[in-house]
Amino acid sequence: MPSEKIQKTLSWLDDHGITYEVHYHPPLFTIEEALAYWKDIDSTHCKNLFMRNHKGNRHYLISFECHKDLDIHSLEHMLHQGKLSFASPERMDRCLGVCPGSVCAFGLINDIGIAESADPKELFDNGHRVKYFLDKDLQTAPKVSFHPCDNTASVVLTHEMFMKFLELWGGEYEWLEI
């Protein structure tokens, strides 16, 4: 039986007309563990980081192709956001509805309509708490995959469906050369 988080994510995708493939597997906490389960899934698999700025009032989700490495110091220079650190489990839950090991793009559904309840100091001008940065290589990926807010499954979207997802989320995103 899929977890409540998986069910919520898949229901949200269904309700918004986003088609997907779902693949269930044991909990996967590292890319190395995941590669064994992803080997037969036709998709560009993504690694995801959730960061905060030094003041703790800005949050950033970064997604990139899973075989790439990302130097945090270089990321700080690319983003021009000052010193960054990994967000705490509490921030992951509050901002994306995820826990360590399950950070993913689909957590952005928990960043929709939060302007009324969120701390105004944490909000970007667009009313979202999270800014999303993506690897430019994902722009040309025919399919991408992410955990559905729980690391016991992977969900694959076509490029078209992923772009629809980003449009529905409505927050600010930017493509980076990683």
Side-chain angles (χ1 to χ4, degrees):
M1 181 75 169
S3 72
E4 187 177 312
K5 288 182 181 191
I6 292 173
Q7 290 175 355
K8 177 182 176 182
T9 302
L10 298 180
S11 291
W12 190 93
L13 295 173
D14 290 338
D15 291 347
H16 292 87
I18 296 176
T19 56
Y20 57 86
E21 300 168 27
V22 63
H23 302 269
Y24 295 96
H25 45 66
L28 304 173
F29 293 96
T30 67
I31 294 299
E32 292 73 29
E33 291 174 20
L35 289 173
Y37 291 93
W38 291 342
K39 67 183 181 320
D40 297 324
I41 301 173
D42 179 28
S43 179
T44 298
H45 304 289
C46 297
K47 191 184 297 187
N48 305 278
L49 303 176
F50 190 55
M51 313 291 290
R52 68 175 191 89
N53 69 352
H54 67 286
K55 291 181 184 177
N57 65 338
R58 293 286 181 255
H59 300 94
Y60 310 100
L61 176 62
I62 304 100
S63 295
F64 51 102
E65 196 277 329
C66 73
H67 292 97
K68 292 186 177 186
D69 289 318
L70 180 63
D71 175 63
I72 301 304
H73 188 65
S74 297
L75 179 66
E76 290 170 345
H77 288 290
M78 277 190 278
L79 303 186
H80 306 289
Q81 303 297 320
K83 180 136 178 68
L84 298 175
S85 60
F86 290 102
S88 67
E90 180 277 327
R91 285 176 189 270
M92 288 179 189
D93 183 50
R94 181 168 41 100
C95 297
L96 294 176
V98 300
C99 61
S102 297
V103 173
C104 62
F106 296 124
L108 295 171
I109 65 174
N110 296 302
D111 184 48
I112 297 172
I114 51 87
E116 297 297 319
S117 60
D119 181 343
K121 292 182 277 186
E122 287 187 337
L123 296 175
F124 288 95
D125 292 340
N126 61 18
H128 288 271
R129 198 174 3 216
V130 179
K131 183 171 179 178
Y132 191 24
F133 293 97
L134 302 106
D135 180 354
K136 274 189 178 181
D137 288 347
L138 299 180
Q139 283 182 303
T140 57
K143 295 179 182 180
V144 293
S145 68
F146 302 95
H147 291 308
C149 299
D150 181 311
N151 65 359
T152 61
S154 296
V155 171
V156 178
L157 297 180
T158 64
H159 177 74
E160 177 185 1
M161 290 292 109
F162 184 56
M163 296 310 296
K164 180 177 180 178
F165 170 79
L166 291 178
E167 182 180 322
L168 289 167
W169 164 56
E172 183 180 352
Y173 64 92
E174 185 177 329
W175 301 97
L176 299 174
E177 192 74 44
I178 296 180

mmCIF file of all heavy atoms in Angstrom, residues 5 8 50-52 55-59 87-100 107-112 114 117-123 128-130:
data_model
loop_
_atom_site.group_PDB
_atom_site.id
_atom_site.type_symbol
_atom_site.label_atom_id
_atom_site.label_comp_id
_atom_site.label_asym_id
_atom_site.label_seq_id
_atom_site.Cartn_x
_atom_site.Cartn_y
_atom_site.Cartn_z
ATOM 1 N N LYS A 5 1.875 10.070 1.713
ATOM 2 C CA LYS A 5 2.542 11.102 0.899
ATOM 3 C C LYS A 5 2.511 10.737 -0.584
ATOM 4 O O LYS A 5 2.290 11.599 -1.431
ATOM 5 C CB LYS A 5 3.978 11.314 1.371
ATOM 6 C CG LYS A 5 4.049 12.021 2.702
ATOM 7 C CD LYS A 5 5.470 12.259 3.140
ATOM 8 C CE LYS A 5 5.474 12.955 4.483
ATOM 9 N NZ LYS A 5 6.778 13.447 4.849
ATOM 10 N N LYS A 8 -1.060 11.240 -1.814
ATOM 11 C CA LYS A 8 -1.363 12.671 -1.973
ATOM 12 C C LYS A 8 -0.730 13.202 -3.260
ATOM 13 O O LYS A 8 -1.364 13.929 -4.019
ATOM 14 C CB LYS A 8 -0.848 13.458 -0.767
ATOM 15 C CG LYS A 8 -1.051 14.953 -0.896
ATOM 16 C CD LYS A 8 -0.483 15.714 0.290
ATOM 17 C CE LYS A 8 -0.625 17.216 0.067
ATOM 18 N NZ LYS A 8 -0.046 17.995 1.157
ATOM 19 N N PHE A 50 17.882 20.463 -0.910
ATOM 20 C CA PHE A 50 17.057 21.544 -0.376
ATOM 21 C C PHE A 50 17.943 22.369 0.544
ATOM 22 O O PHE A 50 18.486 21.861 1.522
ATOM 23 C CB PHE A 50 15.843 20.983 0.367
ATOM 24 C CG PHE A 50 14.836 22.037 0.720
ATOM 25 C CD1 PHE A 50 14.294 22.865 -0.256
ATOM 26 C CD2 PHE A 50 14.429 22.205 2.029
ATOM 27 C CE1 PHE A 50 13.359 23.839 0.066
ATOM 28 C CE2 PHE A 50 13.493 23.176 2.365
ATOM 29 C CZ PHE A 50 12.960 23.987 1.379
ATOM 30 N N MET A 51 18.088 23.640 0.192
ATOM 31 C CA MET A 51 19.024 24.531 0.875
ATOM 32 C C MET A 51 18.285 25.741 1.450
ATOM 33 O O MET A 51 17.179 26.054 1.033
ATOM 34 C CB MET A 51 20.088 25.039 -0.113
ATOM 35 C CG MET A 51 20.730 23.988 -1.002
ATOM 36 S SD MET A 51 21.794 22.852 -0.147
ATOM 37 C CE MET A 51 23.160 23.904 0.263
ATOM 38 N N ARG A 52 18.983 26.410 2.353
ATOM 39 C CA ARG A 52 18.483 27.686 2.886
ATOM 40 C C ARG A 52 19.620 28.690 2.858
ATOM 41 O O ARG A 52 20.798 28.315 2.826
ATOM 42 C CB ARG A 52 17.939 27.524 4.291
ATOM 43 C CG ARG A 52 19.015 27.206 5.313
ATOM 44 C CD ARG A 52 18.417 27.187 6.714
ATOM 45 N NE ARG A 52 19.436 27.136 7.730
ATOM 46 C CZ ARG A 52 20.021 28.190 8.286
ATOM 47 N NH1 ARG A 52 19.721 29.409 7.909
ATOM 48 N NH2 ARG A 52 20.941 28.049 9.217
ATOM 49 N N LYS A 55 20.547 33.566 6.422
ATOM 50 C CA LYS A 55 19.579 34.162 7.338
ATOM 51 C C LYS A 55 18.453 33.190 7.693
ATOM 52 O O LYS A 55 17.740 33.397 8.665
ATOM 53 C CB LYS A 55 18.954 35.410 6.713
ATOM 54 C CG LYS A 55 19.908 36.565 6.565
ATOM 55 C CD LYS A 55 19.176 37.758 5.969
ATOM 56 C CE LYS A 55 20.120 38.917 5.722
ATOM 57 N NZ LYS A 55 19.429 40.045 5.094
ATOM 58 N N GLY A 56 18.285 32.167 6.871
ATOM 59 C CA GLY A 56 17.225 31.199 7.117
ATOM 60 C C GLY A 56 15.857 31.647 6.640
ATOM 61 O O GLY A 56 14.848 31.025 6.961
ATOM 62 N N ASN A 57 15.810 32.722 5.849
ATOM 63 C CA ASN A 57 14.512 33.222 5.387
ATOM 64 C C ASN A 57 14.244 32.942 3.909
ATOM 65 O O ASN A 57 13.209 33.344 3.389
ATOM 66 C CB ASN A 57 14.387 34.721 5.663
ATOM 67 C CG ASN A 57 15.379 35.549 4.861
ATOM 68 O OD1 ASN A 57 16.397 35.040 4.419
ATOM 69 N ND2 ASN A 57 15.079 36.818 4.683
ATOM 70 N N ARG A 58 15.143 32.255 3.227
ATOM 71 C CA ARG A 58 14.953 31.893 1.822
ATOM 72 C C ARG A 58 15.306 30.426 1.644
ATOM 73 O O ARG A 58 16.285 29.934 2.218
ATOM 74 C CB ARG A 58 15.830 32.745 0.885
ATOM 75 C CG ARG A 58 15.450 34.206 0.853
ATOM 76 C CD ARG A 58 14.161 34.408 0.065
ATOM 77 N NE ARG A 58 13.782 35.800 0.001
ATOM 78 C CZ ARG A 58 12.799 36.344 0.702
ATOM 79 N NH1 ARG A 58 12.106 35.622 1.542
ATOM 80 N NH2 ARG A 58 12.502 37.611 0.569
ATOM 81 N N HIS A 59 14.510 29.749 0.827
ATOM 82 C CA HIS A 59 14.680 28.309 0.615
ATOM 83 C C HIS A 59 14.801 28.011 -0.867
ATOM 84 O O HIS A 59 14.077 28.607 -1.675
ATOM 85 C CB HIS A 59 13.494 27.554 1.223
ATOM 86 C CG HIS A 59 13.366 27.795 2.684
ATOM 87 N ND1 HIS A 59 12.557 28.780 3.204
ATOM 88 C CD2 HIS A 59 13.984 27.203 3.740
ATOM 89 C CE1 HIS A 59 12.671 28.771 4.526
ATOM 90 N NE2 HIS A 59 13.530 27.829 4.874
ATOM 91 N N ALA A 87 19.000 22.513 4.405
ATOM 92 C CA ALA A 87 17.857 22.779 5.271
ATOM 93 C C ALA A 87 17.683 21.641 6.266
ATOM 94 O O ALA A 87 17.975 20.481 5.962
ATOM 95 C CB ALA A 87 16.597 22.948 4.433
ATOM 96 N N SER A 88 17.197 21.978 7.425
ATOM 97 C CA SER A 88 16.958 20.983 8.473
ATOM 98 C C SER A 88 15.750 20.117 8.115
ATOM 99 O O SER A 88 14.921 20.500 7.280
ATOM 100 C CB SER A 88 16.674 21.702 9.799
ATOM 101 O OG SER A 88 15.435 22.401 9.705
ATOM 102 N N PRO A 89 15.643 18.959 8.752
ATOM 103 C CA PRO A 89 14.449 18.130 8.526
ATOM 104 C C PRO A 89 13.150 18.898 8.799
ATOM 105 O O PRO A 89 12.158 18.720 8.101
ATOM 106 C CB PRO A 89 14.629 16.964 9.498
ATOM 107 C CG PRO A 89 16.120 16.841 9.635
ATOM 108 C CD PRO A 89 16.624 18.269 9.600
ATOM 109 N N GLU A 90 13.152 19.762 9.810
ATOM 110 C CA GLU A 90 11.948 20.556 10.126
ATOM 111 C C GLU A 90 11.590 21.469 8.966
ATOM 112 O O GLU A 90 10.425 21.590 8.585
ATOM 113 C CB GLU A 90 12.186 21.369 11.413
ATOM 114 C CG GLU A 90 11.004 22.219 11.845
ATOM 115 C CD GLU A 90 10.900 23.567 11.152
ATOM 116 O OE1 GLU A 90 11.951 24.169 10.816
ATOM 117 O OE2 GLU A 90 9.762 24.020 10.913
ATOM 118 N N ARG A 91 12.583 22.115 8.368
ATOM 119 C CA ARG A 91 12.328 22.995 7.215
ATOM 120 C C ARG A 91 11.873 22.187 6.002
ATOM 121 O O ARG A 91 11.015 22.631 5.256
ATOM 122 C CB ARG A 91 13.589 23.780 6.854
ATOM 123 C CG ARG A 91 13.904 24.903 7.793
ATOM 124 C CD ARG A 91 15.226 25.570 7.401
ATOM 125 N NE ARG A 91 15.650 26.495 8.403
ATOM 126 C CZ ARG A 91 15.326 27.782 8.428
ATOM 127 N NH1 ARG A 91 14.577 28.285 7.494
ATOM 128 N NH2 ARG A 91 15.762 28.557 9.392
ATOM 129 N N MET A 92 12.474 21.015 5.806
ATOM 130 C CA MET A 92 12.046 20.155 4.692
ATOM 131 C C MET A 92 10.563 19.829 4.817
ATOM 132 O O MET A 92 9.817 19.904 3.840
ATOM 133 C CB MET A 92 12.844 18.842 4.694
ATOM 134 C CG MET A 92 14.257 18.967 4.280
ATOM 135 S SD MET A 92 15.022 17.313 4.369
ATOM 136 C CE MET A 92 16.715 17.764 4.102
ATOM 137 N N ASP A 93 10.154 19.485 6.028
ATOM 138 C CA ASP A 93 8.755 19.135 6.256
ATOM 139 C C ASP A 93 7.854 20.367 6.096
ATOM 140 O O ASP A 93 6.829 20.298 5.420
ATOM 141 C CB ASP A 93 8.592 18.532 7.651
ATOM 142 C CG ASP A 93 7.173 18.079 7.916
ATOM 143 O OD1 ASP A 93 6.613 17.346 7.069
ATOM 144 O OD2 ASP A 93 6.610 18.468 8.951
ATOM 145 N N ARG A 94 8.248 21.478 6.682
ATOM 146 C CA ARG A 94 7.422 22.691 6.644
ATOM 147 C C ARG A 94 7.275 23.249 5.232
ATOM 148 O O ARG A 94 6.197 23.666 4.832
ATOM 149 C CB ARG A 94 8.036 23.750 7.564
ATOM 150 C CG ARG A 94 7.265 25.048 7.625
ATOM 151 C CD ARG A 94 7.763 25.925 8.756
ATOM 152 N NE ARG A 94 9.206 25.929 8.896
ATOM 153 C CZ ARG A 94 10.003 26.888 8.427
ATOM 154 N NH1 ARG A 94 9.523 27.905 7.796
ATOM 155 N NH2 ARG A 94 11.310 26.811 8.607
ATOM 156 N N CYS A 95 8.353 23.248 4.466
ATOM 157 C CA CYS A 95 8.339 23.877 3.146
ATOM 158 C C CYS A 95 7.942 22.939 2.011
ATOM 159 O O CYS A 95 7.316 23.379 1.041
ATOM 160 C CB CYS A 95 9.708 24.474 2.839
ATOM 161 S SG CYS A 95 10.202 25.788 3.972
ATOM 162 N N LEU A 96 8.335 21.669 2.102
ATOM 163 C CA LEU A 96 8.092 20.732 1.006
ATOM 164 C C LEU A 96 7.273 19.503 1.413
ATOM 165 O O LEU A 96 6.895 18.712 0.547
ATOM 166 C CB LEU A 96 9.427 20.251 0.408
ATOM 167 C CG LEU A 96 10.292 21.281 -0.292
ATOM 168 C CD1 LEU A 96 11.612 20.652 -0.737
ATOM 169 C CD2 LEU A 96 9.571 21.903 -1.475
ATOM 170 N N GLY A 97 7.038 19.327 2.694
ATOM 171 C CA GLY A 97 6.296 18.148 3.136
ATOM 172 C C GLY A 97 7.068 16.858 2.961
ATOM 173 O O GLY A 97 6.475 15.807 2.745
ATOM 174 N N VAL A 98 8.393 16.928 3.040
ATOM 175 C CA VAL A 98 9.249 15.756 2.857
ATOM 176 C C VAL A 98 10.208 15.615 4.034
ATOM 177 O O VAL A 98 10.374 16.541 4.830
ATOM 178 C CB VAL A 98 10.051 15.818 1.532
ATOM 179 C CG1 VAL A 98 9.118 15.893 0.337
ATOM 180 C CG2 VAL A 98 11.019 16.983 1.526
ATOM 181 N N CYS A 99 10.848 14.456 4.107
ATOM 182 C CA CYS A 99 11.870 14.224 5.122
ATOM 183 C C CYS A 99 13.189 13.910 4.409
ATOM 184 O O CYS A 99 13.194 13.698 3.195
ATOM 185 C CB CYS A 99 11.451 13.091 6.053
ATOM 186 S SG CYS A 99 11.206 11.526 5.227
ATOM 187 N N PRO A 100 14.303 13.885 5.134
ATOM 188 C CA PRO A 100 15.579 13.562 4.493
ATOM 189 C C PRO A 100 15.478 12.242 3.719
ATOM 190 O O PRO A 100 14.866 11.284 4.178
ATOM 191 C CB PRO A 100 16.547 13.455 5.671
ATOM 192 C CG PRO A 100 15.959 14.370 6.705
ATOM 193 C CD PRO A 100 14.465 14.192 6.557
ATOM 194 N N GLY A 107 7.563 17.863 -3.993
ATOM 195 C CA GLY A 107 7.328 18.571 -2.736
ATOM 196 C C GLY A 107 6.804 19.981 -2.961
ATOM 197 O O GLY A 107 6.195 20.574 -2.070
ATOM 198 N N LEU A 108 7.015 20.508 -4.165
ATOM 199 C CA LEU A 108 6.536 21.861 -4.470
ATOM 200 C C LEU A 108 5.012 21.968 -4.411
ATOM 201 O O LEU A 108 4.485 23.068 -4.266
ATOM 202 C CB LEU A 108 7.063 22.316 -5.829
ATOM 203 C CG LEU A 108 8.584 22.492 -5.908
ATOM 204 C CD1 LEU A 108 9.020 22.737 -7.343
ATOM 205 C CD2 LEU A 108 9.049 23.624 -4.986
ATOM 206 N N ILE A 109 4.294 20.846 -4.485
ATOM 207 C CA ILE A 109 2.835 20.939 -4.340
ATOM 208 C C ILE A 109 2.467 21.431 -2.945
ATOM 209 O O ILE A 109 1.391 21.993 -2.748
ATOM 210 C CB ILE A 109 2.095 19.621 -4.672
ATOM 211 C CG1 ILE A 109 2.437 18.510 -3.690
ATOM 212 C CG2 ILE A 109 2.363 19.199 -6.112
ATOM 213 C CD1 ILE A 109 1.621 17.229 -3.874
ATOM 214 N N ASN A 110 3.376 21.262 -1.985
ATOM 215 C CA ASN A 110 3.152 21.759 -0.626
ATOM 216 C C ASN A 110 3.565 23.222 -0.481
ATOM 217 O O ASN A 110 3.478 23.774 0.608
ATOM 218 C CB ASN A 110 3.897 20.878 0.375
ATOM 219 C CG ASN A 110 3.358 19.472 0.361
ATOM 220 O OD1 ASN A 110 2.185 19.248 0.598
ATOM 221 N ND2 ASN A 110 4.218 18.513 0.030
ATOM 222 N N ASP A 111 3.992 23.828 -1.577
ATOM 223 C CA ASP A 111 4.375 25.236 -1.604
ATOM 224 C C ASP A 111 3.324 26.058 -2.374
ATOM 225 O O ASP A 111 3.545 27.191 -2.720
ATOM 226 C CB ASP A 111 5.758 25.380 -2.271
ATOM 227 C CG ASP A 111 6.292 26.805 -2.248
ATOM 228 O OD1 ASP A 111 6.257 27.434 -1.173
ATOM 229 O OD2 ASP A 111 6.736 27.290 -3.304
ATOM 230 N N ILE A 112 2.184 25.454 -2.635
ATOM 231 C CA ILE A 112 1.102 26.135 -3.350
ATOM 232 C C ILE A 112 0.083 26.640 -2.337
ATOM 233 O O ILE A 112 -0.343 25.900 -1.451
ATOM 234 C CB ILE A 112 0.416 25.177 -4.358
ATOM 235 C CG1 ILE A 112 1.409 24.727 -5.426
ATOM 236 C CG2 ILE A 112 -0.804 25.837 -4.995
ATOM 237 C CD1 ILE A 112 0.879 23.640 -6.345
ATOM 238 N N ILE A 114 0.348 28.827 0.103
ATOM 239 C CA ILE A 114 0.798 28.914 1.495
ATOM 240 C C ILE A 114 0.961 30.361 1.976
ATOM 241 O O ILE A 114 1.269 30.583 3.137
ATOM 242 C CB ILE A 114 2.115 28.128 1.699
ATOM 243 C CG1 ILE A 114 3.192 28.493 0.665
ATOM 244 C CG2 ILE A 114 1.889 26.648 1.634
ATOM 245 C CD1 ILE A 114 4.006 29.653 1.051
ATOM 246 N N SER A 117 -0.616 31.338 5.328
ATOM 247 C CA SER A 117 -0.190 30.693 6.563
ATOM 248 C C SER A 117 1.312 30.774 6.825
ATOM 249 O O SER A 117 1.759 30.511 7.937
ATOM 250 C CB SER A 117 -0.621 29.223 6.551
ATOM 251 O OG SER A 117 -0.023 28.555 5.457
ATOM 252 N N ALA A 118 2.090 31.127 5.832
ATOM 253 C CA ALA A 118 3.555 31.143 5.981
ATOM 254 C C ALA A 118 4.033 32.429 6.637
ATOM 255 O O ALA A 118 3.364 33.466 6.583
ATOM 256 C CB ALA A 118 4.208 30.986 4.614
ATOM 257 N N ASP A 119 5.203 32.348 7.225
ATOM 258 C CA ASP A 119 5.858 33.530 7.771
ATOM 259 C C ASP A 119 6.169 34.462 6.602
ATOM 260 O O ASP A 119 6.884 34.075 5.674
ATOM 261 C CB ASP A 119 7.145 33.109 8.474
ATOM 262 C CG ASP A 119 7.902 34.265 9.104
ATOM 263 O OD1 ASP A 119 7.638 35.438 8.765
ATOM 264 O OD2 ASP A 119 8.778 33.988 9.940
ATOM 265 N N PRO A 120 5.630 35.674 6.591
ATOM 266 C CA PRO A 120 5.848 36.589 5.458
ATOM 267 C C PRO A 120 7.323 36.835 5.136
ATOM 268 O O PRO A 120 7.666 37.102 3.994
ATOM 269 C CB PRO A 120 5.169 37.883 5.900
ATOM 270 C CG PRO A 120 4.242 37.507 7.001
ATOM 271 C CD PRO A 120 4.798 36.265 7.626
ATOM 272 N N LYS A 121 8.210 36.718 6.138
ATOM 273 C CA LYS A 121 9.641 36.928 5.906
ATOM 274 C C LYS A 121 10.226 35.834 5.024
ATOM 275 O O LYS A 121 11.277 36.010 4.433
ATOM 276 C CB LYS A 121 10.403 36.999 7.230
ATOM 277 C CG LYS A 121 10.084 38.227 8.062
ATOM 278 C CD LYS A 121 10.898 38.252 9.332
ATOM 279 C CE LYS A 121 10.196 37.377 10.339
ATOM 280 N NZ LYS A 121 10.747 37.369 11.671
ATOM 281 N N GLU A 122 9.557 34.680 4.952
ATOM 282 C CA GLU A 122 10.052 33.567 4.152
ATOM 283 C C GLU A 122 9.550 33.594 2.717
ATOM 284 O O GLU A 122 10.020 32.829 1.889
ATOM 285 C CB GLU A 122 9.624 32.234 4.766
ATOM 286 C CG GLU A 122 10.357 31.868 6.011
ATOM 287 C CD GLU A 122 10.013 30.469 6.482
ATOM 288 O OE1 GLU A 122 8.938 29.940 6.134
ATOM 289 O OE2 GLU A 122 10.834 29.905 7.203
ATOM 290 N N LEU A 123 8.594 34.434 2.428
ATOM 291 C CA LEU A 123 7.969 34.412 1.110
ATOM 292 C C LEU A 123 8.716 35.253 0.088
ATOM 293 O O LEU A 123 9.150 36.373 0.372
ATOM 294 C CB LEU A 123 6.524 34.908 1.203
ATOM 295 C CG LEU A 123 5.578 34.057 2.035
ATOM 296 C CD1 LEU A 123 4.218 34.746 2.127
ATOM 297 C CD2 LEU A 123 5.442 32.664 1.466
ATOM 298 N N HIS A 128 5.442 32.374 -2.876
ATOM 299 C CA HIS A 128 5.955 31.024 -2.621
ATOM 300 C C HIS A 128 7.131 31.094 -1.657
ATOM 301 O O HIS A 128 7.840 32.095 -1.586
ATOM 302 C CB HIS A 128 6.399 30.359 -3.924
ATOM 303 C CG HIS A 128 5.244 29.971 -4.795
ATOM 304 N ND1 HIS A 128 4.620 28.753 -4.700
ATOM 305 C CD2 HIS A 128 4.601 30.653 -5.761
ATOM 306 C CE1 HIS A 128 3.637 28.697 -5.581
ATOM 307 N NE2 HIS A 128 3.599 29.832 -6.236
ATOM 308 N N ARG A 129 7.327 30.006 -0.952
ATOM 309 C CA ARG A 129 8.411 29.922 0.022
ATOM 310 C C ARG A 129 9.688 29.351 -0.588
ATOM 311 O O ARG A 129 10.753 29.446 -0.007
ATOM 312 C CB ARG A 129 7.934 29.022 1.168
ATOM 313 C CG ARG A 129 8.704 29.144 2.402
ATOM 314 C CD ARG A 129 8.163 28.381 3.591
ATOM 315 N NE ARG A 129 7.002 27.586 3.368
ATOM 316 C CZ ARG A 129 6.025 27.422 4.253
ATOM 317 N NH1 ARG A 129 6.079 28.007 5.420
ATOM 318 N NH2 ARG A 129 4.995 26.647 3.989
ATOM 319 N N VAL A 130 9.583 28.726 -1.772
ATOM 320 C CA VAL A 130 10.714 28.028 -2.376
ATOM 321 C C VAL A 130 10.982 28.570 -3.774
ATOM 322 O O VAL A 130 10.056 28.790 -4.551
ATOM 323 C CB VAL A 130 10.425 26.505 -2.473
ATOM 324 C CG1 VAL A 130 11.585 25.773 -3.124
ATOM 325 C CG2 VAL A 130 10.131 25.925 -1.082
#
